[in-house]
Amino acid sequence: CCSGSCIDPTRTAAHCGNCGTVCGAAIPLNDCCSFWISSGLGTANFFCGDCSTHYTPSTCCDSTCTELSGSDNNNCGTCGNVCSNTTICCSGSCIDPMTNDSHCGNCDTVCGSPIPQNDCCSFWLQSGLDTANFFCGDCSTHYTPAHCCDGTCSC
């Protein structure tokens, strides 16, 4: 019982695992952020880098706060949905990273996506100044191979 109510701590987001553990609660990025944010001085980003608000996962599965739309192979999309040993969880779906063109080898590699010719091109193209070719040589758009074979964009 928590606060006079009987709850299931394996599935209750307000008391996940034990009384008072709230899934979906705001958490500081690191101790530096936590100190400056709690001080009320509003200078956390200046001293600590990125102190944007982050949250614990919002769903309680088996007494643990879980992000169902993330990459938890044991709770992929729903509590208890386990990906097979040949698949991985990407954005809440079990996929085969050996053949999936949108998640080739991992959740982040998309086959057929544009890639910079080199680091110099990447820097100038991202700056938006359209002087990449002048400073770096050939910066024409190149693409990764369009299909996933054995976990790499290659076929």
Side-chain angles (χ1 to χ4, degrees):
C1 288
C2 294
S3 303
S5 298
C6 291
I7 55 103
D8 177 358
T10 64
R11 300 274 185 214
T12 306
H15 303 287
C16 189
N18 58 52
C19 294
T21 300
V22 180
C23 295
I27 56 171
L29 188 60
N30 56 47
D31 289 339
C32 180
C33 293
S34 180
F35 170 78
W36 284 102
I37 290 170
S38 65
S39 74
L41 297 175
T43 54
N45 286 326
F46 178 77
F47 288 110
C48 308
D50 177 25
C51 288
S52 54
T53 303
H54 298 270
Y55 297 89
T56 60
S58 58
T59 304
C60 185
C61 295
D62 298 323
S63 302
T64 303
C65 295
T66 304
E67 187 58 58
L68 298 177
S69 62
S71 59
D72 183 344
N73 284 335
N74 294 314
N75 298 291
C76 190
T78 60
C79 289
N81 184 34
V82 179
C83 294
S84 72
N85 62 355
T86 60
T87 63
I88 60 174
C89 184
C90 293
S91 303
S93 296
C94 294
I95 60 98
D96 181 352
M98 301 306 280
T99 60
N100 189 300
D101 292 341
S102 297
H103 307 286
C104 189
N106 60 56
C107 292
D108 299 323
T109 301
V110 178
C111 295
S113 59
I115 55 172
Q117 177 72 9
N118 56 49
D119 289 340
C120 179
C121 292
S122 179
F123 170 78
W124 284 103
L125 292 173
Q126 288 176 2
S127 73
L129 296 176
D130 196 28
T131 53
N133 287 321
F134 177 77
F135 288 109
C136 309
D138 178 23
C139 287
S140 56
T141 303
H142 298 271
Y143 295 87
T144 60
H147 297 288
C148 184
C149 295
D150 297 326
T152 60
C153 298
S154 61
C155 35

